[in-house]
Amino acid sequence: MVKMIAIFACLLIVALDLTAGILGIKAEAAQNQEKHLRLWLFECKEPSHDAFVLGVAAATLLSIAHVLTNLLGGCNVFTREELSKAPPSKQLSMACLVFTWIILALGLGMLVIGTISNNKSRASCGFTHHHFLSIGGILCFVHAIFSVAYYATSTAILGV
């Protein structure tokens, strides 16, 4: 029964991250369908409401997936002394935890920047913000890999 719950948790985390990634890429596609005028580094474009909504949804799903990963994984944090003497499974778990936080920061940042650039009140000219939504979407896929690796190694440590 415990193994079935673990498999369900992994599938849920992967589904949330994959959905967030797909929504981020679709938001980029919706953004690219709007009219825009580009002159070197500056760009004037109309914001896309669809890209805004998809970007918010992608950022929300990425955040939910990250919270679930940390809650279900136990958020095992070790001191440097414990980590240096720990077996490789604990070290791998800690490395995956650190990578999930780094990827969350980068991916969520990219999604938020791309989403804010599509806010209705931002219909102005400025520097180009190309590919922030799609890069954020791709980072959601990477987050799924490290989240499952963290969950698997942390539950193996706990003996679940």
Side-chain angles (χ1 to χ4, degrees):
M1 181 66 179
V2 174
K3 288 185 181 183
M4 292 301 288
I5 293 172
I7 291 171
F8 176 73
C10 284
L11 289 175
L12 178 63
I13 291 167
V14 168
L16 288 170
D17 275 330
L18 290 180
T19 305
I22 291 168
L23 289 176
I25 292 170
K26 285 187 177 218
E28 180 77 30
Q31 177 183 355
N32 290 338
Q33 290 178 353
E34 293 297 320
K35 299 183 299 184
H36 65 279
L37 174 67
R38 186 172 176 181
L39 181 65
W40 292 312
L41 291 176
F42 296 102
E43 180 179 43
C44 297
K45 67 176 181 114
E46 294 290 322
S48 170
H49 180 69
D50 291 339
F52 179 78
V53 171
L54 291 171
V56 168
T60 303
L61 288 176
L62 176 62
S63 300
I64 291 170
H66 187 74
V67 168
L68 279 176
T69 300
N70 284 296
L71 287 177
L72 295 175
C75 200
N76 301 318
V77 179
F78 308 104
T79 63
R80 284 189 182 201
E81 294 81 27
E82 290 175 339
L83 195 59
S84 64
K85 298 175 185 175
S89 61
K90 277 189 182 181
Q91 292 176 353
L92 181 61
S93 174
M94 192 64 185
C96 289
L97 178 65
V98 169
F99 281 132
T100 59
W101 278 98
I102 291 170
I103 294 166
L104 172 76
L106 293 173
L108 195 59
M110 293 287 196
L111 288 171
V112 167
I113 290 170
T115 301
I116 288 174
S117 70
N118 283 296
N119 194 357
K120 287 289 183 197
S121 63
R122 301 266 310 179
S124 63
C125 298
F127 289 107
T128 59
H129 292 286
H130 284 293
H131 309 297
F132 279 118
L133 291 168
S134 60
I135 292 171
I138 292 168
L139 286 173
C140 290
F141 299 143
V142 177
H143 185 266
I145 294 168
F146 282 104
S147 293
V148 169
Y150 169 67
Y151 179 74
T153 56
S154 67
T155 55
I157 290 170
L158 298 174
V160 174

